Amino acid sequence: MADLKVKIGALEFKNPVLTASGTFGYGPEFEDFLNIDSLGGIIVKGTTLEARQGNAYPRMAETPAGMLNAVGLQNKGVDAFINDIYPNIKHYNTHIIVNVSGSKLEDYVTVVEKLNDLEHIPAIELNISCPNVKQGGMAFGTSCASATEVTKAVRAAYHKTLIVKLSPNVTSISEIAKAVEDEGADSVSLINTVLGMAIDAESRRPILSTITGGLSGPCVKPIALRMVWQVSQAVKIPVIGLGGIMNFTDAVEFLLAGATAIQVGTANFIDPAISEKIVHQLDAYCDNHRIRAVKELIGGLIV
Amino acid sequence: MKKYINDLTVCSNRRLSDDYFILGLTSSNALPEMLPGQFAEIKVDNNPNVFLRRPISIHDVDYAKNVLYMLVKIVGQGTQTLSTLKVNETVNLVYPLGNTFNMDGVTNVILAGGGCGIAPMLYLARHLHQKHIKATILLGGRTMIDILEAKEFKKYGDVFISTDDGSMGEKGFITNNSIMKKLSSFQRLYCCGPLPMMKVFAAIAKQQQVDCEVSLENTMACGIGACLCCVAETDKGNKCVCTEGPVFNINQLKWQI
């Protein structure tokens, strides 16, 4: 048994395996398949101030080694989360992190002010990288000025661990990461989905109702690994890596590239038990390589 | 209902035609309870071009033999690969998923299945029969090879058939079959098939004030309500077809009919 504990800011995780927002619901959806408490943490569905219906169907297209989605932040709003969902999940013995999304600066601030008071939510993931909403979302995360502005406002309003989720759809993700670090983010998570599209050659129409959507799955892993590597060189705060992690070797690769923790996303759709399996296999990997603490793997790439 | 992720063993793979096959799947453990209208998400191995599981409806369950049957239409690479499964090979399922048909408060109903929409209707007919609810079955397809398992359906009720080319049963669309003239004598119409077909059935049922349930086949990723990709527009907003469907009463759906 290796020591799997990792720290993000002041927050200690029992292991580095988290589930990515938008791929794991709120947890109960997966209770039949795994023990939620075995995970380092779960990041629940992107939550906005008001309820959102999301985009029109079709919202999904399968692609080689991946998929495109255009869900568009369908959620019941932060008040419904606090009143109807949180009471049913707060007993989990793992860190529950809320992914906070918005279209306006004030909306982000209002949402995080409400989340401050929830005892069993020790952190938020600020989503400035959703490619599927017309206003806000990714727009906040694609320039240093706007990323700075939203992180500064949220940092002033939120008193616990603040993770900022970054978009890969930028010229320099390291510059954005440094900008949010300067504003007091405790961690950055990357990557959100890569903007892409799919076309039906027969009908000559786009497959997604929104024409473009967010690409995820193993096809984006090399991009994600490269960005985690670059960002972890550029910032001092811990990096949480995600993008196409399907198994424990993918997880190890992200840790070696510099990630302190990882998120399992699209893989949850293929194997709803995969995140717990990765925890156990990571433990076995450490034992096999005589690694006493998983922390030793972080940034352990030999170049 | 509890959901499972299990490897099942192929015990039969019967080819019905170029386009259709029925997989028989068994397990060393007793199969869990499954309801009509529910489906399984099947993992497709050995094809790098197929990434997501494929949602396939439950065609029939023989609990005495511990066999689950899935009637599959070959529509793309995923189902093509599944069609090559051999006896004794294993296949991974997440199941049973989704809701079921409402079988309460009725004594005389009609089931309509068009093309691959026939798949969930056999298990529904079996359940209705067990509940002593009189079932009339209407099957439709483009041609006679699309009319599947008609003999099996006859065990559970009178069967009416339409084919577009008249090669079997009445010639014409399933929605124009002569039995539809008597629709108002039934308390509920259950239907599954292509969307345009279901919308025509829904419009007729609505006009004649016959309760109507449809089983939707939206494309989906997870099958368990996590990805929110498969939504249908309902009177209560976007609902996941995988968890709050696939069966919907037409009064719930925002269809222009």
Side-chain angles (χ1 to χ4, degrees):
Chain A
M1 284 283 284
D3 173 9
L4 295 181
K5 291 194 286 293
V6 294
K7 254 179 123 176
I8 302 286
L11 194 60
E12 187 174 80
F13 292 76
K14 65 175 91 172
N15 64 62
V17 181
L18 321 181
T19 54
S21 177
T23 68
F24 204 72
Y26 296 93
E29 294 87 344
F30 287 77
E31 282 178 12
D32 283 344
F33 306 108
L34 52 70
N35 174 15
I36 307 267
D37 294 348
S38 70
L39 304 174
I42 61 172
I43 303 174
V44 302
K45 177 71 190 164
T47 301
T48 51
L49 182 58
E50 311 285 352
R52 289 195 186 200
Q53 279 300 308
N55 296 317
Y57 179 87
R59 294 174 168 188
M60 191 273 288
E62 188 179 38
T63 63
M67 60 178 277
L68 285 158
N69 90 80
V71 173
L73 295 176
Q74 180 180 327
N75 81 102
K76 294 191 167 78
V78 68
D79 290 331
F81 171 76
I82 292 169
N83 298 323
D84 306 334
I85 299 167
Y86 174 67
N88 298 319
I89 62 172
K90 66 179 187 183
H91 66 278
Y92 288 149
N93 181 25
T94 188
H95 291 320
I96 307 165
I97 298 170
V98 178
N99 179 285
V100 176
S101 301
S103 298
K104 293 201 298 268
L105 194 66
E106 308 86 74
D107 291 359
Y108 278 107
V109 171
T110 310
V111 172
V112 302
E113 280 171 347
K114 287 170 186 265
L115 295 172
N116 259 327
D117 300 332
L118 301 183
E119 188 190 346
H120 299 279
I121 306 291
I124 60 161
E125 182 179 62
L126 185 65
N127 184 355
I128 56 169
S129 44
C130 177
N132 291 326
V133 288
K134 282 206 182 89
Q135 293 181 329
M138 192 169 84
F140 282 108
T142 48
S143 85
C144 286
S146 54
T148 296
E149 188 188 18
V150 66
T151 308
K152 184 182 225 163
V154 167
R155 181 69 287 179
Y158 188 68
H159 311 312
K160 296 188 255 183
T161 301
L162 170 61
I163 303 160
V164 181
K165 187 169 186 177
L166 304 182
S167 170
N169 306 303
V170 294
T171 312
S172 171
I173 195 167
S174 299
E175 292 303 312
I176 309 275
K178 280 195 276 192
V180 304
E181 178 184 40
D182 287 346
E183 295 307 326
D186 296 300
S187 170
V188 285
S189 55
L190 57 133
I191 57 173
N192 206 320
T193 54
V194 179
L195 203 56
M197 70 187 283
I199 295 172
D200 181 341
E202 288 302 313
S203 66
R204 298 165 59 166
R205 293 173 189 277
I207 293 177
L208 299 174
S209 70
T210 48
I211 305 177
T212 63
L215 185 65
S216 65
C219 58
V220 307
K221 195 187 87 170
I223 299 171
L225 269 178
R226 184 266 294 180
M227 289 187 162
V228 165
W229 166 249
Q230 288 179 327
V231 169
S232 67
Q233 308 279 310
V235 299
K236 294 185 187 71
I237 52 175
V239 173
I240 302 174
L242 71 151
I245 296 177
M246 298 298 287
N247 51 52
F248 83 95
T249 50
D250 291 339
V252 169
E253 288 166 31
F254 275 82
L255 296 174
L256 292 172
T260 297
I262 60 99
Q263 297 178 16
V264 181
T266 302
N268 295 311
F269 302 156
I270 315 298
D271 179 357
I274 190 65
S275 51
E276 182 177 356
K277 283 182 205 163
I278 290 176
V279 174
H280 299 310
Q281 291 166 348
L282 198 53
D283 193 11
Y285 172 89
C286 289
D287 287 347
N288 293 340
H289 288 77
R290 299 173 190 237
I291 293 163
R292 277 180 303 169
V294 78
K295 276 183 288 199
E296 294 170 31
L297 289 172
I298 300 167
L301 187 69
I302 301 164
V303 288
Chain B
M1 277 175 80
K2 186 170 162 58
K3 304 177 188 86
Y4 298 84
I5 179 166
N6 284 151
D7 282 334
L8 298 188
T9 304
V10 178
C11 57
S12 61
N13 183 353
R14 185 159 61 95
R15 193 70 174 224
L16 304 178
S17 66
D18 285 349
D19 294 338
Y20 294 96
F21 62 97
I22 295 179
L23 275 183
L25 303 173
T26 189
S27 169
S28 51
N29 300 314
L31 293 171
E33 185 193 3
M34 290 169 256
L35 301 172
Q38 290 192 304
F39 64 99
E41 279 268 50
I42 307 191
K43 192 158 177 291
V44 180
D45 292 320
N46 307 319
N47 187 334
N49 296 322
V50 179
F51 179 63
L52 299 168
R53 287 173 182 266
R54 292 294 184 262
I56 307 285
S57 60
I58 288 162
H59 179 54
D60 203 6
V61 186
D62 186 334
Y63 287 102
K65 291 184 183 156
N66 203 42
V67 179
L68 157 64
Y69 294 99
M70 320 213 63
L71 193 167
V72 188
K73 182 179 187 183
I74 299 172
V75 293
Q77 289 209 39
T79 44
Q80 171 64 43
T81 304
L82 291 175
S83 75
T84 64
L85 280 167
K86 293 183 178 62
V87 171
N88 290 330
E89 286 184 327
T90 59
V91 62
N92 187 267
L93 269 67
V94 175
Y95 75 120
L97 304 174
N99 65 355
T100 185
F101 295 97
N102 179 10
M103 288 173 268
D104 294 337
V106 289
T107 53
N108 186 21
V109 298
I110 179 163
L111 288 61
C116 199
I118 288 172
M121 289 301 165
L122 186 67
Y123 197 42
L124 174 61
R126 181 196 278 270
H127 273 248
L128 292 165
H129 186 73
Q130 283 164 358
K131 289 174 186 287
H132 307 292
I133 297 165
K134 186 173 186 295
T136 298
I137 297 125
L138 173 56
L139 306 177
R142 262 174 298 202
T143 181
M144 62 185 297
I145 55 170
D146 296 318
I147 305 300
L148 310 165
E149 304 296 279
K151 255 190 215 162
E152 288 295 310
F153 279 99
K154 278 181 186 142
K155 293 178 189 169
Y156 306 121
D158 292 335
V159 175
F160 293 80
I161 292 168
S162 281
T163 50
D164 297 358
D165 65 358
S167 55
M168 193 173 180
E170 296 178 23
K171 183 176 176 173
F173 290 142
I174 181 175
T175 45
N176 293 332
N177 190 283
S178 56
I179 189 67
M180 288 299 288
K181 294 196 183 81
K182 297 176 188 162
L183 182 65
S184 59
S185 67
F186 300 102
Q187 292 146 335
R188 189 171 292 143
L189 164 65
Y190 303 97
C191 72
C192 185
L195 197 59
M197 181 206 93
M198 288 197 287
K199 285 188 174 175
V200 173
F201 274 125
I204 299 169
K206 193 175 177 185
Q207 190 193 12
Q208 301 198 19
Q209 296 176 316
V210 174
D211 196 46
C212 179
E213 290 193 341
V214 293
S215 180
L216 304 186
E217 296 184 321
N218 290 13
T219 52
M220 57 182 69
C222 71
I224 56 174
C227 69
L228 310 185
C229 289
C230 64
V231 291
E233 251 191 296
T234 75
D235 55 350
K236 294 191 173 108
N238 283 327
K239 297 287 179 193
C240 284
V241 167
C242 66
T243 49
E244 300 185 63
V247 181
F248 291 91
N249 192 288
I250 58 166
N251 296 326
Q252 294 173 269
L253 295 170
K254 286 200 161 179
W255 280 359
Q256 304 295 323
I257 48 172

